[in-house]
Amino acid sequence: MSLHCQKSAKGDKVNTHKFKADIHQQDREDSEAMAIEPPFFEKYKAILQSSANEKEKPSTVEGFDELELPLIDLSHLNLGQLERQECIEKMGQAAIEWGFFQIVNHGVPDELLNRLKQEQIKVFQQPFDKKSESNFLNLSVQSYRWGNPLATSLRNLSWSEALHISLKDISKMDEYNKLRSTIEEYAEKANFLAQRLAEYLAQNLGIKANYFQENCSPSSSSLRMNRYPPCPYPSMMFGIIPHTDTDFLTIVSQDQVGGLQLKRNGRWVSVKPNPKALVVNIGDFYQALSNGVYKSITHRVIANQETERYSAAYFYCPTYETVIESCSKPSLYKKFSFKEYREQIQKDVKATGDKVGLSRFLL
């Protein structure tokens, strides 16, 4: 795998007066009519001013290396038995060692991915006042979200906006809406792909072949479209704060801007964007199901000062009532339902500001 060293981001010594002036200037810009940007400066003024009063600003984003994820060519699944088995084993090894891999020849047309991004751009270019309406696109309340309402410092502030769509809600959208038809088409392809990947990974663990068909329905998953606006202080805050995904698998389509980082061997590393690949990562549920064999890895998105970034994440989830139980003994985790897991996350986030996650269910 290629390894490229990048320059470390150092703590910024900032001019306090300039920092505060920037905040007030942004306040004026945010108040202008029809602004598309979320009012980050207005919402987080206290956090930003508190940080401006510090004599020296510690860097949130430390130095990092840029790595290429393991690359899996899914066309090998259609070759001979030997090539097929090697492909499945390579996928499993990446899930064990990395928790992430990238795939090519995945069956999702480039034209569809490009169309999804164009529709995504149209959504986020609408005025903030419209995006923040409770019935935006006729979706559930809080489908559109931005920042982090529980942020108490720069370290847990996400400089991004997102449209998180539960697939069961798509039918609420205007049937003539091009965004709806594009999402429906993409969700069908992504669901088929996610189920195939989940089943191939299950072969290495002895999980029954129809496990995912029985526990995951097309409407139980969700799609999150992300936009990361240019951030004036990228070394001090994140695009998305460090986290793990709750689901079985996540399939990510991203642009060429880059910014995705994952924790590997105790260090943050940056993922080199691949224009021909989709990124796949293991979620908490698959780590629990595999009894810790596959890894749900902490990851984040760093902010970019000059260029906006777009990505779309498909979360392959079970139904709410599905019980997750480790596939081998002795179990590392007690069994739990999706409902129980989500309720625990909500309690922890409210109490601590952090998801906590699987460690709550260790035996």
CSV table of all heavy atoms in Angstrom, one decimal, residues 148-152 156 241-244 246 341-357 360:
chain,number,residue,atom,x,y,z
A,148,ASN,N,-23.4,20.3,15.7
A,148,ASN,CA,-23.6,19.4,16.8
A,148,ASN,C,-24.3,20.2,18.0
A,148,ASN,O,-23.6,21.0,18.7
A,148,ASN,CB,-22.3,18.8,17.3
A,148,ASN,CG,-22.4,17.9,18.5
A,148,ASN,OD1,-23.5,17.6,18.9
A,148,ASN,ND2,-21.3,17.4,19.1
A,149,PRO,N,-25.6,19.9,18.2
A,149,PRO,CA,-26.3,20.7,19.2
A,149,PRO,C,-25.8,20.5,20.6
A,149,PRO,O,-26.0,21.4,21.5
A,149,PRO,CB,-27.7,20.2,19.1
A,149,PRO,CG,-27.6,18.8,18.4
A,149,PRO,CD,-26.4,19.0,17.5
A,150,LEU,N,-25.0,19.5,20.9
A,150,LEU,CA,-24.4,19.2,22.2
A,150,LEU,C,-23.0,19.6,22.3
A,150,LEU,O,-22.3,19.4,23.3
A,150,LEU,CB,-24.6,17.7,22.5
A,150,LEU,CG,-26.0,17.2,22.6
A,150,LEU,CD1,-26.0,15.7,22.8
A,150,LEU,CD2,-26.8,17.9,23.6
A,151,ALA,N,-22.5,20.3,21.3
A,151,ALA,CA,-21.1,20.7,21.4
A,151,ALA,C,-20.8,21.7,22.5
A,151,ALA,O,-21.5,22.6,22.8
A,151,ALA,CB,-20.7,21.4,20.0
A,152,THR,N,-19.7,21.4,23.2
A,152,THR,CA,-19.3,22.2,24.3
A,152,THR,C,-17.9,22.8,24.1
A,152,THR,O,-17.4,23.7,24.8
A,152,THR,CB,-19.2,21.5,25.7
A,152,THR,OG1,-18.4,20.3,25.5
A,152,THR,CG2,-20.7,21.0,26.0
A,156,ASN,N,-15.7,18.8,19.9
A,156,ASN,CA,-16.9,18.1,19.6
A,156,ASN,C,-17.8,18.9,18.7
A,156,ASN,O,-19.0,18.7,18.8
A,156,ASN,CB,-17.5,17.5,20.8
A,156,ASN,CG,-17.8,18.5,21.9
A,156,ASN,OD1,-17.9,19.7,21.6
A,156,ASN,ND2,-18.0,18.1,23.1
A,241,ILE,N,-17.0,14.7,13.9
A,241,ILE,CA,-16.2,14.3,15.1
A,241,ILE,C,-16.0,12.8,15.0
A,241,ILE,O,-16.7,12.1,14.4
A,241,ILE,CB,-16.9,14.7,16.4
A,241,ILE,CG1,-18.3,14.1,16.5
A,241,ILE,CG2,-17.0,16.2,16.5
A,241,ILE,CD1,-18.9,14.4,17.9
A,242,PRO,N,-14.9,12.3,15.7
A,242,PRO,CA,-14.7,10.9,15.7
A,242,PRO,C,-15.8,10.0,16.2
A,242,PRO,O,-16.5,10.4,17.2
A,242,PRO,CB,-13.5,10.8,16.7
A,242,PRO,CG,-12.8,12.1,16.6
A,242,PRO,CD,-13.9,13.1,16.4
A,243,HIS,N,-16.1,8.9,15.6
A,243,HIS,CA,-17.2,8.1,15.9
A,243,HIS,C,-17.1,6.7,15.2
A,243,HIS,O,-16.2,6.5,14.4
A,243,HIS,CB,-18.5,8.7,15.4
A,243,HIS,CG,-18.6,8.8,13.9
A,243,HIS,ND1,-17.9,9.7,13.2
A,243,HIS,CD2,-19.3,8.0,13.0
A,243,HIS,CE1,-18.2,9.6,11.9
A,243,HIS,NE2,-19.0,8.5,11.7
A,244,THR,N,-17.9,5.8,15.6
A,244,THR,CA,-18.0,4.5,14.9
A,244,THR,C,-19.5,4.5,14.3
A,244,THR,O,-20.4,5.2,14.8
A,244,THR,CB,-17.8,3.3,15.8
A,244,THR,OG1,-18.8,3.3,16.9
A,244,THR,CG2,-16.4,3.2,16.4
A,246,THR,N,-23.1,2.6,13.7
A,246,THR,CA,-23.9,1.6,14.4
A,246,THR,C,-24.3,0.4,13.6
A,246,THR,O,-24.4,-0.7,14.1
A,246,THR,CB,-25.2,2.3,14.9
A,246,THR,OG1,-24.8,3.3,15.9
A,246,THR,CG2,-26.1,1.3,15.6
A,341,TYR,N,-30.0,-0.8,21.6
A,341,TYR,CA,-28.7,-0.2,21.3
A,341,TYR,C,-28.9,1.3,21.1
A,341,TYR,O,-28.2,2.1,21.6
A,341,TYR,CB,-28.1,-0.8,20.1
A,341,TYR,CG,-26.6,-0.5,19.9
A,341,TYR,CD1,-25.7,-1.2,20.7
A,341,TYR,CD2,-26.2,0.4,19.0
A,341,TYR,CE1,-24.3,-1.0,20.6
A,341,TYR,CE2,-24.8,0.7,18.9
A,341,TYR,CZ,-23.9,0.0,19.6
A,341,TYR,OH,-22.5,0.3,19.5
A,342,ARG,N,-29.9,1.6,20.3
A,342,ARG,CA,-30.2,3.0,20.0
A,342,ARG,C,-30.6,3.8,21.3
A,342,ARG,O,-30.2,4.9,21.5
A,342,ARG,CB,-31.3,3.2,19.0
A,342,ARG,CG,-31.7,4.6,18.6
A,342,ARG,CD,-32.7,4.7,17.5
A,342,ARG,NE,-32.0,4.5,16.2
A,342,ARG,CZ,-32.6,4.5,15.0
A,342,ARG,NH1,-33.9,4.7,15.0
A,342,ARG,NH2,-31.9,4.3,13.9
A,343,GLU,N,-31.4,3.2,22.1
A,343,GLU,CA,-31.8,3.8,23.3
A,343,GLU,C,-30.6,4.1,24.3
A,343,GLU,O,-30.5,5.2,24.9
A,343,GLU,CB,-32.9,3.0,24.1
A,343,GLU,CG,-34.2,3.0,23.4
A,343,GLU,CD,-35.2,2.1,24.0
A,343,GLU,OE1,-34.8,1.2,24.9
A,343,GLU,OE2,-36.4,2.1,23.7
A,344,GLN,N,-29.7,3.2,24.3
A,344,GLN,CA,-28.5,3.3,25.1
A,344,GLN,C,-27.6,4.5,24.5
A,344,GLN,O,-27.1,5.3,25.3
A,344,GLN,CB,-27.7,2.0,25.1
A,344,GLN,CG,-26.4,2.1,26.0
A,344,GLN,CD,-26.8,2.3,27.5
A,344,GLN,OE1,-27.6,1.6,28.1
A,344,GLN,NE2,-26.3,3.4,28.1
A,345,ILE,N,-27.5,4.6,23.2
A,345,ILE,CA,-26.8,5.6,22.6
A,345,ILE,C,-27.4,7.0,23.0
A,345,ILE,O,-26.7,7.9,23.3
A,345,ILE,CB,-26.7,5.5,21.1
A,345,ILE,CG1,-25.8,4.3,20.7
A,345,ILE,CG2,-26.3,6.8,20.4
A,345,ILE,CD1,-25.8,4.0,19.2
A,346,GLN,N,-28.7,7.1,22.9
A,346,GLN,CA,-29.4,8.3,23.2
A,346,GLN,C,-29.1,8.8,24.7
A,346,GLN,O,-28.9,9.9,24.9
A,346,GLN,CB,-30.9,8.2,22.9
A,346,GLN,CG,-31.2,8.1,21.5
A,346,GLN,CD,-32.6,7.7,21.2
A,346,GLN,OE1,-33.4,7.3,22.1
A,346,GLN,NE2,-33.1,7.9,20.0
A,347,LYS,N,-29.1,7.8,25.6
A,347,LYS,CA,-28.8,8.1,27.0
A,347,LYS,C,-27.4,8.6,27.2
A,347,LYS,O,-27.1,9.6,27.9
A,347,LYS,CB,-29.0,6.8,27.8
A,347,LYS,CG,-30.5,6.4,28.0
A,347,LYS,CD,-30.6,5.1,28.8
A,347,LYS,CE,-32.0,4.6,28.9
A,347,LYS,NZ,-32.1,3.4,29.7
A,348,ASP,N,-26.5,7.9,26.5
A,348,ASP,CA,-25.1,8.2,26.7
A,348,ASP,C,-24.7,9.6,26.1
A,348,ASP,O,-24.0,10.4,26.6
A,348,ASP,CB,-24.2,7.2,26.1
A,348,ASP,CG,-24.1,5.9,26.9
A,348,ASP,OD1,-24.3,6.0,28.1
A,348,ASP,OD2,-23.9,4.8,26.3
A,349,VAL,N,-25.3,9.9,24.9
A,349,VAL,CA,-25.0,11.1,24.2
A,349,VAL,C,-25.6,12.3,25.1
A,349,VAL,O,-24.9,13.3,25.3
A,349,VAL,CB,-25.6,11.2,22.8
A,349,VAL,CG1,-25.6,12.6,22.2
A,349,VAL,CG2,-24.9,10.2,21.9
A,350,LYS,N,-26.7,12.1,25.6
A,350,LYS,CA,-27.3,13.1,26.5
A,350,LYS,C,-26.5,13.3,27.8
A,350,LYS,O,-26.4,14.5,28.2
A,350,LYS,CB,-28.8,12.7,26.8
A,350,LYS,CG,-29.5,13.8,27.6
A,350,LYS,CD,-31.0,13.4,27.8
A,350,LYS,CE,-31.8,14.5,28.5
A,350,LYS,NZ,-33.2,14.1,28.8
A,351,ALA,N,-26.0,12.3,28.3
A,351,ALA,CA,-25.3,12.4,29.6
A,351,ALA,C,-23.8,12.8,29.5
A,351,ALA,O,-23.3,13.5,30.3
A,351,ALA,CB,-25.4,11.0,30.3
A,352,THR,N,-23.2,12.3,28.4
A,352,THR,CA,-21.7,12.5,28.3
A,352,THR,C,-21.3,13.2,27.0
A,352,THR,O,-20.2,13.6,26.9
A,352,THR,CB,-21.0,11.1,28.3
A,352,THR,OG1,-21.3,10.4,27.1
A,352,THR,CG2,-21.5,10.3,29.5
A,353,GLY,N,-22.2,13.4,26.0
A,353,GLY,CA,-21.9,14.0,24.8
A,353,GLY,C,-21.2,13.0,23.8
A,353,GLY,O,-20.8,13.3,22.7
A,354,ASP,N,-21.1,11.7,24.3
A,354,ASP,CA,-20.4,10.7,23.5
A,354,ASP,C,-21.3,9.5,23.3
A,354,ASP,O,-22.1,9.1,24.2
A,354,ASP,CB,-19.1,10.3,24.2
A,354,ASP,CG,-18.3,9.3,23.4
A,354,ASP,OD1,-18.4,9.3,22.1
A,354,ASP,OD2,-17.5,8.5,24.0
A,355,LYS,N,-21.2,8.8,22.2
A,355,LYS,CA,-22.0,7.6,21.9
A,355,LYS,C,-21.7,6.4,22.8
A,355,LYS,O,-22.5,5.7,23.1
A,355,LYS,CB,-21.7,7.3,20.4
A,355,LYS,CG,-22.3,5.9,20.0
A,355,LYS,CD,-21.9,5.6,18.6
A,355,LYS,CE,-22.2,4.2,18.2
A,355,LYS,NZ,-21.8,3.9,16.8
A,356,VAL,N,-20.4,6.3,23.2
A,356,VAL,CA,-19.9,5.1,23.9
A,356,VAL,C,-19.9,3.8,23.1
A,356,VAL,O,-18.9,3.3,22.8
A,356,VAL,CB,-20.6,4.9,25.3
A,356,VAL,CG1,-20.0,3.8,26.1
A,356,VAL,CG2,-20.6,6.2,26.1
A,357,GLY,N,-21.1,3.3,22.8
A,357,GLY,CA,-21.2,2.2,21.8
A,357,GLY,C,-21.1,0.9,22.4
A,357,GLY,O,-21.6,0.5,23.5
A,360,ARG,N,-20.6,-0.7,26.1
A,360,ARG,CA,-21.7,-0.8,27.1
A,360,ARG,C,-22.3,-2.2,27.1
A,360,ARG,O,-23.0,-2.6,28.1
A,360,ARG,CB,-22.8,0.2,26.6
A,360,ARG,CG,-22.5,1.6,26.8
A,360,ARG,CD,-22.5,2.0,28.3
A,360,ARG,NE,-22.5,3.4,28.5
A,360,ARG,CZ,-22.1,4.0,29.6
A,360,ARG,NH1,-21.6,3.2,30.6
A,360,ARG,NH2,-22.1,5.3,29.8
